[in-house]
Amino acid sequence: AVVSTQSTGESKREEFRKYLEKEGVLDSLTKILVCLYEEPEKPINALDFLKQHLHGGSPESNDVETLRLELQELRTKHEAVVTENEALKAKLQEYETPAEEKEAES
């Protein structure tokens, strides 16, 4: 009975290991641990380092959508500022030109 319990436990572990390998978990963890190993100055908190590198893999879709909306908003503001800048430059040019003409006449 002890032998069958051990083989059942080992087969479950082997299944789990295959699952982790198939899903890329082992590869990701290995890469992160290699990064930590190769880090010239070891971080104060290794667990935070692992969390940061694990989370840094793919941003959540909410974050992506929020950034996309923010980017669109900033592009719109940028266009408005550029247009305003051009209008102000033209207005400034109108005021500078008569002053230059008066100086030329003197």
Side-chain angles (χ1 to χ4, degrees):
V2 173
V3 172
S4 67
T5 306
Q6 283 180 333
S7 65
T8 304
E10 287 180 27
S11 67
K12 283 184 176 182
R13 269 185 262 157
E14 184 61 23
E15 280 181 40
F16 186 65
R17 188 194 62 74
K18 286 180 181 177
Y19 163 75
L20 292 176
E21 192 172 324
K22 177 183 161 219
E23 295 297 319
V25 174
L26 294 179
D27 189 44
S28 292
L29 286 174
T30 301
K31 286 178 182 176
I32 294 168
L33 289 171
V34 167
C35 285
L36 178 59
Y37 176 77
E38 292 175 345
E39 192 70 27
E41 294 185 25
K42 302 295 182 242
I44 294 170
N45 190 330
L47 190 55
D48 283 346
F49 179 91
L50 295 175
K51 288 177 185 177
Q52 180 182 6
H53 282 77
L54 266 176
H55 190 276
S58 60
E60 294 182 23
S61 59
N62 288 344
D63 293 340
V64 172
E65 187 58 29
T66 301
L67 290 172
R68 192 172 286 138
L69 291 171
E70 184 180 353
L71 177 62
Q72 183 58 43
E73 183 182 323
L74 290 172
R75 283 181 173 160
T76 303
K77 285 181 179 179
H78 177 260
E79 289 174 19
V81 168
V82 168
T83 303
E84 181 184 19
N85 186 317
E86 289 171 358
L88 290 172
K89 281 182 181 178
K91 200 172 198 178
L92 181 62
Q93 190 66 32
E94 289 175 22
Y95 288 111
E96 287 179 346
T97 304
E100 290 172 1
E101 289 174 2
K102 286 181 183 177
E103 286 178 14
E105 292 175 3
S106 302

